[in-house]
Amino acid sequence: MDDGAEAEKPEQKGWPNSKIKELREVLTMGSNSAKIFIQEMSYRGRTLPEIEGYPECKDTGWLCENKKQFTPYFDMLELMEIYPIKLEEKEVSDVQL
């Protein structure tokens, strides 16, 4: 297998760290800013994971429940900073807490 293809694979699989940090910042600016950023990322083939029962959240980054808006993605982004990406590659039985 070509080493060049291997180097490109992780970036194509997910979001680059710089865009993840930018998304985190944009989410603090509110739903309108988040929607614009998410739309720009979708043009580049990057989408947010879908939240079960809330398909519109993938496009806006925000949920509206009981007249309150909140984003479930912010907490996920915070957890990504706390836990190393290497944990994703291990099986649950391999991880000791």
Side-chain angles (χ1 to χ4, degrees):
M1 199 177 267
D2 183 21
D3 288 336
E6 281 294 319
E8 292 178 24
K9 192 173 183 180
E11 186 173 332
Q12 291 174 356
K13 181 180 176 186
W15 289 44
N17 286 338
S18 62
K19 293 300 177 187
I20 291 172
K21 288 179 181 180
E22 192 173 344
L23 172 62
R24 185 173 153 211
E25 184 178 322
V26 167
L27 288 172
T28 65
M29 295 179 196
S31 59
N32 289 333
S33 297
K35 189 173 182 177
I36 292 168
F37 179 78
I38 292 166
Q39 187 176 32
E40 289 173 5
M41 290 296 95
S42 71
Y43 295 148
R44 295 184 173 133
R46 306 207 190 282
T47 58
L48 294 175
E50 190 169 316
I51 305 296
E52 189 174 323
Y54 301 95
E56 71 282 356
C57 188
K58 183 179 178 180
D59 299 324
T60 64
W62 288 82
L63 296 172
C64 185
E65 200 168 87
N66 297 328
K67 298 183 181 181
K68 292 184 179 181
Q69 281 193 325
F70 65 96
T71 178
Y73 296 109
F74 194 79
D75 290 337
M76 289 184 232
L77 294 170
E78 290 284 314
L79 284 172
M80 287 174 64
E81 284 189 17
I82 295 171
Y83 294 103
I85 298 297
K86 294 286 183 188
L87 288 178
E88 293 177 1
E89 298 170 1
K90 292 185 175 187
E91 292 184 26
V92 175
S93 61
D94 292 342
V95 179
Q96 294 180 2
L97 300 175

